[in-house]
Amino acid sequence: MERSEIRDALTVETPDCATLDPGYGLNGGNMRVRRLIGCFALLAALTLGVGSAGAATIVALGASNTYGKGVARNQAYPAQLEAILRTKGLSVRVVNAGINGDTTEGMLQRLDRAVPNGTRAVILQPGGNDRRKGSPDRTADIQSRLSARGIAVIMLSNGMLHGLPHQPDGQHLTPEGYHMLAEQLASQVSSAIGR
């Protein structure tokens, strides 16, 4: 195959834009370069806008088992829950607002920052840090504030973690355990956001 035949085979036509000639640059000078960049920018803007426009925001608020202590960020239950819900065809964004060692007092103090307006549901995992640190249980206050904002609350009690695979510390789940937890939560979240 001759060089000109290879060039012709690799030349890509972009409708109403420029002709991209791989390996040889852009044909048509500055005006075509500007049009090509403009077309790519428009395509990127449209793609990003369509993907996030109708996504329901769910916030996972809690302590270390929400954060995913001891596992990679994409292995924590919020990330796995988002992937499961998207696989089921739901347009969702699950925000991980878990902090290792947090108490319900700490969650209450950061509630307005952690849960933005427009959030459809919060998965609340109080954990066991209140008892361990001698802090008052503010779960009811968190639930009340979220309900007043019209946000559905899904409680994630420590009892839901029993029987799931744990790390050697006996408190935090393995990636498989977080996946099983996310599977358990998927239908509750789906119902809470009405999808």
Side-chain angles (χ1 to χ4, degrees), residues 33-171:
V33 170
R34 284 189 203 130
R35 277 198 280 166
L36 180 63
I37 291 170
C39 286
F40 284 132
L42 178 62
L43 179 62
L46 290 173
T47 302
L48 291 174
V50 170
S52 62
T57 299
I58 294 109
V59 174
L61 180 66
S64 55
N65 269 308
T66 295
Y67 175 81
K69 184 174 182 178
V71 301
R73 304 304 298 142
N74 65 343
Q75 295 173 325
Y77 93 78
Q80 294 200 51
L81 176 62
E82 180 176 308
I84 290 166
L85 293 171
R86 286 180 178 231
T87 298
K88 294 181 181 208
L90 298 177
S91 178
V92 297
R93 186 174 76 105
V94 181
V95 177
N96 187 337
I99 294 179
N100 290 329
D102 206 3
T103 61
T104 54
E105 178 68 36
M107 292 174 212
L108 182 62
Q109 289 176 5
R110 65 187 174 93
L111 190 63
D112 291 333
R113 289 186 315 275
V115 182
N117 291 333
T119 298
R120 300 283 297 278
V122 167
I123 304 165
L124 179 58
Q125 183 248 329
N129 295 318
D130 288 345
R131 186 176 59 252
R132 207 171 4 267
K133 295 180 178 185
S135 181
D137 182 354
R138 304 297 300 272
T139 302
D141 296 320
I142 295 169
Q143 290 174 305
S144 177
R145 293 238 327 249
L146 292 170
S147 294
R149 291 174 57 190
I151 299 171
V153 179
I154 299 163
M155 289 303 300
L156 172 53
S157 68
N158 285 338
M160 289 183 72
L161 307 177
H162 295 152
L164 298 176
H166 281 73
Q167 296 176 40
D169 68 5
Q171 292 182 11

Side-chain angles (χ1 to χ4, degrees), residues 3-17:
R3 185 176 179 154
S4 63
E5 292 173 313
I6 293 171
R7 184 188 67 223
D8 292 339
L10 293 175
T11 299
V12 177
E13 280 289 323
T14 54
D16 299 317
C17 289

Side-chain angles (χ1 to χ4, degrees), residues 168-182:
D169 68 5
Q171 292 182 11
H172 302 100
L173 299 179
T174 64
E176 297 77 24
Y178 286 124
H179 182 78
M180 293 166 72
L181 179 62

